[in-house]
Amino acid sequence: MSAVYKDDQEDWLTVCLKYLLFVFNFLFWPETHCRERIKESSASEMAELWTRPKVGGAAVLGVGIWTLLEKSDYSSLLASSTFAVSAYILILAGSLVVVTGFLGCCAVIREQRGCLSMYFFCLLLIFLIELVAGVLAYVYYQRLSEELKQHLNQTMTENYAQPGKEAITLAVDRLQQDFKCCGSNNSHDWMASVYISSEAAERRVVPDSCCKTITPLCGKRDHPSNIYKVEGGCITKLEQFLADHLLVISAVGIGVACLQLAGAVLTACFIYLLYKEEEDFGTL
């Protein structure tokens, strides 16, 4: 009697784990009738299923791409590439999530230990990648303020409007217009600029991008009615902008990493129960 009860209990656990894994994969490969669809689909229908948006993977990819697009113009102003690297890692992880969501659904349906083992290791890999992205973003968030204080003013004053530094020039102009600021700390920072000291400045005291209304040579006049005078300068605005993005990357990276770890644990338990079932069947 106890042996029958034990077998029933293991069967119940197997079914529970199977459907828990279905729910998990639904987050990353949302096909509510995936079992029937995979068994009955033709090659063209399988291709259509494969190309559908995957909720979790699309979200991770979206955050990575959004981060790169939003901050790409300012990347030349940063001394470190950590921010961009975190976003690229997030995009890589999102792509892997999309692929493993499909693999996981197929593996659970067919109950093949080989496929499930591959799925398990893929989840562990994604867990590590997401964790790295999240931790990198958080660590960079902690030292962002110090890095900007050390490098932003120097980057702006030494490289603005200099030959071969067009990317920095465009980034500074957009920074000052987007955030309505002038100079790293204030407009007086431009007095030490290589550009302002040169003949190319044509007696400007600040770049034209500091002006509230940009007109040719408007930078000759630095009165508050003409240029942006913001407390804390551009460094405060840029720091807040980047910090917000870093917190999003960190939260998404660590959050999805935890989900992948939970999926890996469920998969390991499912593999163990399948192994026990095969072992028990072999002893009959």
Side-chain angles (χ1 to χ4, degrees):
M1 186 72 179
S2 60
V4 173
Y5 174 76
K6 184 178 179 183
D7 289 341
D8 289 343
Q9 188 179 40
E10 288 183 354
D11 288 343
W12 180 81
L13 283 173
T14 302
V15 171
C16 284
L17 279 172
K18 188 169 185 175
Y19 282 98
L20 277 173
L21 282 169
F22 271 128
V23 171
F24 176 80
N25 280 289
F26 175 80
L27 295 174
F28 303 100
W29 189 65
E31 174 55 58
T32 54
H33 302 93
C34 58
R35 177 171 185 163
E36 290 74 16
R37 293 295 298 277
I38 287 175
K39 285 184 175 180
E40 300 171 6
S41 292
S42 64
S44 61
E45 288 172 330
M46 284 293 288
E48 183 267 334
L49 285 174
W50 177 254
T51 54
R52 285 190 181 185
K54 286 75 176 175
V55 173
V60 176
L61 275 171
V63 170
I65 293 170
W66 165 70
T67 301
L68 286 178
L69 291 178
E70 283 289 308
K71 54 76 57 188
S72 59
D73 287 339
Y74 305 130
S75 60
S76 56
L77 301 178
L78 302 177
S80 170
S81 60
T82 307
F83 196 12
V85 168
S86 298
Y88 282 121
I89 292 175
L90 214 57
I91 291 173
L92 171 64
S95 302
L96 289 174
V97 165
V98 171
V99 175
T100 54
F102 180 82
L103 173 64
C105 199
C106 294
V108 173
I109 289 165
R110 297 177 180 178
E111 297 186 3
Q112 294 179 344
R113 284 198 290 134
C115 290
L116 284 166
S117 297
M118 185 184 299
Y119 178 58
F120 171 76
F121 286 113
C122 285
L123 288 178
L124 285 183
L125 177 63
I126 295 171
F127 164 73
L128 292 174
I129 291 173
E130 292 281 4
L131 193 63
V132 167
V135 171
L136 268 179
Y138 184 74
V139 169
Y140 190 55
Y141 169 79
Q142 295 291 322
R143 60 186 182 86
L144 175 64
S145 178
E146 188 61 33
E147 179 182 303
L148 289 176
K149 287 175 183 176
Q150 290 178 358
H151 299 285
L152 184 61
N153 184 50
Q154 182 181 357
T155 300
M156 292 173 70
T157 56
E158 292 184 3
N159 298 291
Y160 184 82
Q162 299 305 299
K165 303 294 183 180
E166 290 79 10
I168 292 178
T169 303
L170 289 172
V172 171
D173 285 339
R174 182 179 173 185
L175 175 68
Q176 296 189 140
Q177 280 295 299
D178 286 355
F179 296 119
K180 297 178 171 53
C181 57
C182 183
S184 178
N185 299 292
N186 53 62
S187 60
H188 297 300
D189 290 342
W190 286 112
M191 298 303 293
S193 168
V194 174
Y195 166 68
I196 295 299
S197 304
S198 68
E199 292 183 3
E202 299 181 66
R203 299 198 304 179
R204 289 180 178 88
V205 290
V206 293
D208 290 345
S209 57
C210 282
C211 300
K212 295 178 180 179
T213 302
I214 297 180
T215 57
L217 300 176
C218 65
K220 284 185 175 182
R221 183 168 168 266
D222 62 352
H223 191 272
S225 63
N226 183 50
I227 68 169
Y228 294 115
K229 296 261 188 180
V230 180
E231 186 177 349
C234 292
I235 190 170
T236 304
K237 299 283 189 178
L238 183 59
E239 181 182 346
Q240 185 60 53
F241 173 79
L242 295 177
D244 290 344
H245 281 67
L246 284 168
L247 283 177
V248 170
I249 294 177
S250 180
V252 169
I254 294 174
V256 175
C258 291
L259 278 176
Q260 301 305 311
L261 184 60
V265 171
L266 288 174
T267 305
C269 293
F270 190 50
I271 292 171
Y272 173 75
L273 286 176
L274 290 178
Y275 173 77
K276 289 288 290 179
E277 284 183 3
E278 289 179 13
E279 194 177 58
D280 292 342
F281 182 77
T283 58
L284 294 178

